[in-house]
């Protein structure tokens, strides 16, 4: 018997290692296609927190939905806004740090496929828009999970990137080479961890800003990036997003989050980089979308910011209260309807 086992060991099973590797890869790929698994990683990856927010909206659908990137995530407290509205509607902040318009469109299409858009579900949407929302790039991998490019429209690479997520999300998975990140990953799998700022349900998706003021070098780098021209693809995605909501009978409004040192380019006709952003603003106005921003004579002070582009909780509460008053039609609100050039 022993000699027979030694013979089998010496012969081996050709290709067994390849088969095992393929099975393991297929298992890992299947997990990346599981909403529940990605939700489990909400404290590990930004896309996990995105799943936490999206799944919350799908299971506890609000009357109002707020969309945008990190500036929205940190700037709009739905509870504070809702208190200023006459009916006190349910509201949820689905701001995602680093998200572009393409990722938001993909999420909206997912909600639409589930029949959640419209007066009987999400009847109002508020979109927070800054320059970075339209500048392209998907460093955090949202599009891998929430966008489904068509082969004949977007090419083979874009098509495969979202279908083979181990490949499309590989750059983000490389973070697991860091010991602290790997430990966080195993802790999340074992017992579950809440993301920084707490569970999405705790504050209806709002995450208070945290950290210290940026130094001058950081501010300069942020400003240099924010005035880059928009991506044509992201502009198309934003307008498709708005058109989808309008088609489903959803009331849409846009708000321009405040910056510390200047206005967003949508509101600065004299800025040399503003022309393409002003064109986006005109396209929104032509669709009858109401636009809101801080009144020209109003300013937010440095003590209300975490850095040049993100409000802290104190600033967010002031901004949210003013936004709610503006949406309720108060003519004296700090935030006003944008009109004119």
């Amino acid at each position: 018997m022993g000699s027979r086992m030694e013979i089998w060991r010496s012969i081996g099973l050709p290709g067994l290692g390849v088969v095992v590797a393929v099975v393991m890869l297929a298992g890992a790929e299947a997990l990346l296609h599981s909403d529940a698994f990605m939700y489990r990683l909400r404290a590990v990856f930004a896309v996990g927190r995105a799943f936490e927010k999206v799944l919350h909206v799908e299971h506890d659908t609000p009357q109002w939905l707020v969309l945008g990137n990190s500036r929205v995530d940190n700037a709009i407290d739905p509870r504070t806004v809702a208190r200023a509205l006459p009916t006190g509607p349910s509201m949820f902040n689905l701001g995602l740090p680093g998200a572009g318009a393409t990722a938001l469109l993909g999420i909206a299409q997912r909600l639409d496929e589930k029949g959640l858009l419209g007066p009987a579900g999400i009847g109002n949407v508020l979109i927070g828009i800054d320059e970075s929302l339209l500048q392209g790039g998907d460093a955090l991998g949202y599009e891998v999970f929430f966008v489904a490019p068509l082969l004949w429209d977007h090419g083979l690479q874009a098509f495969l990137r979202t279908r083979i997520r181990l490949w499309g999300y590989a750059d983000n998975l490389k973070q697991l080479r860091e010991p602290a990140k790997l430990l966080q990953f195993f802790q999340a799998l074992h017992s579950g961890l809440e993301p920084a700022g707490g569970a999405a349900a705790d504050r209806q998706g709002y995450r208070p800003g945290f950290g210290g003021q940026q130094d001058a070098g950081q501010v300069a780098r942020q400003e240099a990036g924010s005035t880059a021209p928009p991506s044509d693809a992201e502009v198309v995605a934003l307008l498709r997003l708005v058109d989808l909501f309008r088609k489903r009978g959803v009331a849409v409004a846009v708000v321009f989050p405040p910056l510390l040192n200047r206005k967003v380019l949508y509101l600065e006709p004299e800025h040399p980089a503003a022309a393409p952003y002003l064109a986006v603003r005109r396209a929104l106005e032509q669709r009858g979308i109401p636009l809101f921003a801080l009144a020209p004579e109003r300013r937010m002070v440095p003590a209300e910011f975490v850095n040049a582009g993100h409000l802290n909780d104190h600033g967010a509460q002031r901004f949210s209260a003013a936004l709610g008053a503006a949406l309720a039609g108060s003519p004296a609100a700090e935030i006003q309807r944008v009109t004119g050039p």
Side-chain angles (χ1 to χ4, degrees):
M1 183 70 177
S3 60
R4 190 174 300 175
M5 291 296 296
E6 290 174 6
I7 292 173
W8 277 111
R9 290 194 189 99
S10 64
I11 294 175
L13 294 177
L16 179 60
V18 174
V19 172
V20 171
V22 169
V23 170
M24 292 177 65
L25 288 173
E29 179 68 22
L31 287 175
L32 291 179
H33 288 263
S34 164
D35 289 358
F37 180 75
M38 297 311 302
Y39 168 80
R40 192 78 175 176
L41 300 181
R42 60 195 180 276
V44 183
F45 298 113
V47 76
R49 185 166 187 266
F51 269 98
E52 180 193 24
K53 287 193 167 191
V54 170
L55 293 174
H56 180 93
V57 169
E58 291 175 354
H59 291 96
D60 190 9
T61 305
Q63 297 166 299
W64 282 68
L65 187 65
V66 184
L67 292 173
N69 56 22
S70 60
R71 285 178 171 140
V72 165
D73 190 35
N74 294 158
I76 299 177
D77 186 337
R79 301 163 302 176
T80 303
V81 176
R83 281 196 294 268
L85 297 176
T87 59
S90 58
M91 184 179 291
F92 188 84
N93 183 331
L94 217 167
L96 301 176
T102 297
L104 298 184
L105 174 61
I107 289 171
Q109 290 171 332
R110 171 176 166 136
L111 298 177
D112 185 44
E113 290 171 359
K114 294 180 180 293
L116 300 180
L117 301 182
I122 299 169
N124 291 267
V125 168
L126 179 65
I127 308 174
I129 298 179
D130 65 353
E131 297 90 356
S132 63
L133 189 78
L134 300 183
Q135 288 173 346
D138 184 35
L140 297 178
Y142 295 124
E143 294 177 22
V144 174
F145 294 87
F146 295 110
V147 178
L150 299 176
L151 177 60
W152 47 88
D153 286 341
H154 301 92
L156 181 62
Q157 181 173 347
F159 177 82
L160 292 178
R161 183 172 177 261
T162 60
R163 271 67 177 189
I164 307 174
R165 293 179 176 175
L166 277 173
W167 174 41
Y169 200 58
D171 288 343
N172 298 88
L173 292 174
K174 290 176 183 177
Q175 298 175 41
L176 296 177
R177 294 181 297 188
E178 302 172 12
K181 197 74 169 179
L182 185 62
L183 177 61
Q184 189 181 44
F185 174 80
F186 285 117
Q187 288 176 329
L189 292 181
H190 180 261
S191 57
L193 292 175
E194 297 301 339
D202 291 347
R203 300 182 178 88
Q204 292 302 298
Y206 162 65
R207 175 165 59 176
F210 52 89
Q213 284 282 347
Q214 288 179 313
D215 62 32
Q218 289 174 311
V219 171
R221 287 192 293 273
Q222 184 178 34
E223 291 295 285
S226 66
T227 57
S231 156
D232 290 341
E234 294 297 321
V235 172
V236 169
L238 174 65
L239 298 180
R240 285 183 61 196
L241 176 68
V242 170
D243 290 342
L244 171 61
F245 289 137
R246 294 171 70 230
K247 183 179 180 180
R248 296 292 182 256
V250 176
V252 183
V254 163
V255 62
F256 300 110
L259 305 178
L260 176 58
N261 298 318
R262 63 171 178 86
K263 296 179 182 178
V264 290
L265 296 181
Y266 305 91
L267 305 176
E268 284 282 24
E270 303 302 321
H271 195 289
Y277 292 100
L278 294 172
V280 172
R281 173 180 156 184
R282 287 192 295 271
L284 294 171
E285 290 172 333
Q286 289 167 1
R287 285 165 166 79
I289 305 301
L291 311 177
F292 294 91
L294 278 176
E297 70 278 7
R298 298 287 188 171
R299 292 288 183 273
M300 301 199 74
V301 299
E304 294 173 315
F305 285 83
V306 173
N307 54 44
H310 298 82
L311 294 172
N312 59 26
D313 186 55
H314 176 64
Q317 294 307 320
R318 174 188 165 190
F319 185 76
S320 298
L323 179 58
L327 292 172
S330 171
E334 287 187 284
I335 295 175
Q336 297 180 357
R337 182 92 176 252
V338 176
T339 57

